[in-house]
Amino acid sequence: MVVSSRLADRAVNDAWARRLLSHLPVPSGELEAVQVRGREALIRQSLPSRRQEDWRFTDLTPLKALDPLSLNPLTAAVGSSLPSAGWPAPAPGSLRLWLDGRSDPLAGQTLPPGLSRLSSDDLHQALGRSLAGCDCEQHWPVELNQATVSHCLALRVSGVIAETLELVCVADAQHTLRPVRVLLLLEEKASLEVLQVQLGSGASLSSLVVEAQLGRQAHLLHGLLALGEAEACFLGHLAVEQASESRFRSVMASRGWALSRFEPRITQRDGAAHTELKALQLAERDQLADTHSQVRFLGPDGALEQLHKAIAADQGHSVFNGAVAVPRQAQRTNANQLSRNLLLSDQARIDTKPQLEIVADDVRCTHGATVSRLQADQLFYLQSRGIDAATASRLLRRGFCQEVLRDFPAAAAVWNPLQRLMVEA
Amino acid sequence: MIRPDADLLLDIVDLHATVADQPILKGVNLSIRAGEIHAVMGRNGSGKSTLSKVLAGHPAYSVTAGSVRYRGSDLLDLDPEQRARIGLFLGFQYPVEIPGVSNLEFLRVATNARRGELGKEELDTFAFEDVVRDRLKVVQMDAAFLERSVNEGFSGGEKKRNEILQMALLEPVVAILDETDSGLDIDALRIVAGGVNQLATPDNATLLITHYQRLLDVITPDFVHVMAAGRILRTGGKELALELEERGYDWVDQELAVLEVA
């Protein structure tokens, strides 16, 4: 019985990818080889299933509900995704690019000094390296992206860039598959702030793969504001390799996706770098919000500050798995991970799991997880100052979000992240 | 300042309270009049912190018998926020950190809640900034603390100063300061005590909950109460605190043993 249902399951999963591939155009263009690789992988691998440890808590039903025969990566960016259609004006000092995975967002744009387009040779040499360096080049969501993407925004950063690079991707037409691929090479002492805004609605699938390489003393702040609606699904991978003394900060906030799965994976190649990961994910109605992070220290003296926050309401399900690998050579690593979760209904569910693999003996690694209603001691503290329970609860829910949102690049303000992420009681 | 004809602000009669069904307060009697400074001293576990939380309305504590009247009306009927609005203030032993909530906004919302009760108009952001900058001087606090999250990453001393800043803004009628001296070095203690002294007037009253005499070197109490096993065992003047300091708490145990036998 079990066996036959497994086989049936497997057949459905295999069929989904095959049906998607069946109507894709023949691989072509600058990413032809990448497409070929991705499609071959999708034929070999079936869709992830809950029998795989990494997908144990992640029910892919919303993804399978998207009709693979209709999903089309070539859907043109329609009117609403163009700058004229009521989107907020970019913040002063930010450079907005519209990404649709197939056209060149740099066409007609002037890049600020220090930011340049990667040559085709450099692109092909660098593409996929950080995915491999972060051990996720064969992940199913990555292969799906590779199979379908026809353009990569590839930039070299060779100085301190004052402008915030704002990358906006909209999947708002029915049956849109929007694969976005970004590659950033930060040279020594380069510094950049990126804000990615991913908007999805209708029966659409947004797929994001970002690779970044940070040279010595480079600094990258990567903000990802992922806002979905209805049946829209989001799959995102962030693969970052850090040289020593570099600083990488990731801030992510997501809400509204039927299914969202975000995998930030960071490798400190020689240790001695600083990594900061902050995330806020919301799971409401019957949504599933999942973050699987991995940070690996391949040398000594590395540091990690990670704060993952989740709010689960209604029948929402939040999943967090935070892997931290500290092998023998990573002495004096200082890694702190905290998972804080707010459970706002009896039917909501939260699965949170630290996954520390520590071999080095001279390290300081802390981790903690809390799942609670609004914290009673905080509520009482506010009430004891004359603040009524409803106002206190609103202040606390807002504070819960702000602890993450305040670290977004300032350019994010035009998208009103707080108003979009704040859950009303 | 003791004036027998001063208004009775807080009147605690035979107060019994439990936490998790465990009796902690077992018949506390205490009257506080305007202008007075009281100190409740006692060992850990004597019930002194519980007394402060029960008065402030902490939901984890249940009053099982007795009464508390605040300026003549029943206090125990009120929600914690109503108690604060009418002028009861609890300075926390461990002020709570609230990441993401700006200290400035917290102070403004709290101040306006109290002002509303007093029939004063709400202060907008700008008007409030003027008020708070003035009040910062009471505790010699840097304005940078206003921009941070409530108590987040504050040192022990900074948290206690932030408590007294709140007291300075809320202008309570009865301030209960729970172990305000714990974790303070001598300089921070002087600053905090200086703030409390500045805020004491003939119209309000202060109840200090403390373990040690050293707070009472810098804030002179009119009354000292010794608490043990959920009751006030003895009441005296400031010399009682000195006696405690000298003899330790052991004699309290002996006295308690006699009491228990009787």
Side-chain angles (χ1 to χ4, degrees), chain B residues 8 16 19 35 68 74 76 96 100 105 119 132 172 191 208 210 241-243 246-247 260 262:
Chain B
L8 184 59
H16 288 67
V19 60
V68 180
D74 186 7
L76 300 176
V96 179
E105 195 187 358
V132 76
I191 291 168
L208 305 168
T210 184
L242 294 168
E243 189 184 337
E246 214 166 279
R247 295 172 56 192
E260 306 258 281

Side-chain angles (χ1 to χ4, degrees), chain A residues 53-125:
Chain A
E53 185 57 30
D54 265 3
W55 294 86
R56 195 151 70 93
F57 295 109
T58 311
D59 181 356
L60 287 180
T61 304
L63 178 70
K64 287 187 252 180
L66 300 177
D67 178 7
L69 282 175
S70 319
L71 279 180
N72 186 352
L74 296 182
T75 312
V78 288
S80 57
S81 60
L82 296 173
S84 57
W87 304 108
S94 74
L95 172 66
R96 177 174 293 172
L97 301 176
W98 295 85
L99 305 189
D100 65 6
R102 56 193 277 266
S103 47
D104 178 8
L106 295 177
Q109 293 281 353
T110 316
L111 289 172
L115 211 52
S116 57
R117 183 201 292 268
L118 229 53
S119 71
S120 179
D121 279 354
D122 287 350
L123 167 67
H124 285 107
Q125 200 169 40

Side-chain angles (χ1 to χ4, degrees), chain B:
Chain B
M1 185 201 313
I2 305 175
R3 288 179 295 142
D5 61 334
D7 287 348
L8 184 59
L9 298 181
L10 198 65
D11 194 19
I12 304 171
V13 178
D14 193 33
L15 186 63
H16 288 67
T18 60
V19 60
D21 292 330
Q22 196 69 29
I24 308 287
L25 299 186
K26 299 169 186 168
V28 174
N29 293 288
L30 180 60
S31 297
I32 298 178
R33 291 180 185 276
E36 295 174 350
I37 295 177
H38 290 244
V40 170
M41 301 185 72
R43 279 215 167 108
N44 290 337
S46 61
K48 56 191 198 305
S49 271
T50 296
L51 176 62
S52 70
K53 294 205 174 79
V54 168
L55 293 176
H58 195 292
Y61 299 82
S62 315
V63 172
T64 49
S67 69
V68 180
R69 301 192 80 75
Y70 172 82
R71 293 170 119 178
S73 34
D74 186 7
L75 180 74
L76 300 176
D77 247 8
L78 305 178
D79 289 334
E81 60 265 36
Q82 287 168 296
R83 299 183 196 195
R85 287 175 184 185
I86 60 174
L88 190 84
F89 178 86
L90 171 62
F92 281 60
Q93 180 177 5
Y94 302 109
V96 179
E97 297 195 10
I98 312 182
V101 174
S102 119
N103 202 25
L104 183 65
E105 195 187 358
F106 158 64
L107 295 170
R108 189 172 69 86
V109 174
T111 304
N112 279 334
R114 172 88 172 116
R115 288 177 69 91
E117 185 67 31
L118 295 172
K120 297 183 186 172
E121 60 179 308
E122 280 203 1
L123 297 173
D124 65 23
T125 324
F126 299 105
F128 180 70
E129 284 216 23
D130 293 340
V131 172
V132 76
R133 273 170 206 280
D134 178 62
R135 303 271 82 186
L136 282 171
K137 293 176 205 153
V138 173
V139 281
Q140 302 174 30
M141 214 163 130
D142 194 298
F145 286 99
L146 301 173
E147 306 304 326
R148 293 172 52 182
S149 292
V150 178
N151 294 324
E152 191 191 18
F154 287 25
S155 71
E158 288 157 359
K159 283 180 181 167
K160 297 298 172 78
R161 283 203 233 178
N162 205 29
E163 294 292 288
I164 306 304
L165 173 64
Q166 292 164 44
M167 181 173 153
L169 286 163
L170 299 177
E171 300 180 340
V173 178
V174 175
I176 305 159
L177 302 177
D178 187 7
E179 307 264 2
T180 290
D181 50 332
S182 69
L184 295 188
D185 62 32
I186 193 70
D187 292 330
L189 180 68
R190 283 220 180 86
I191 291 168
V192 165
V196 174
N197 285 328
Q198 281 178 63
L199 297 171
T201 72
D203 299 320
N204 63 27
T206 308
L207 174 60
L208 305 168
I209 309 269
T210 184
H211 190 98
Y212 300 106
Q213 152 70 22
R214 64 173 201 157
L215 179 66
L216 307 181
D217 290 337
V218 278
I219 305 174
T220 310
D222 300 301
F223 296 96
V224 173
H225 311 275
V226 179
M227 208 166 163
R231 271 173 292 191
I232 288 176
L233 218 55
R234 246 170 107 185
T235 293
K238 61 179 183 227
E239 66 287 344
L240 181 55
L242 294 168
E243 189 184 337
L244 267 179
E245 180 82 350
E246 214 166 279
R247 295 172 56 192
Y249 280 100
D250 287 348
W251 64 269
V252 176
D253 295 338
Q254 287 156 21
E255 212 157 291
L256 195 64
V258 172
L259 218 66
E260 306 258 281
V261 171

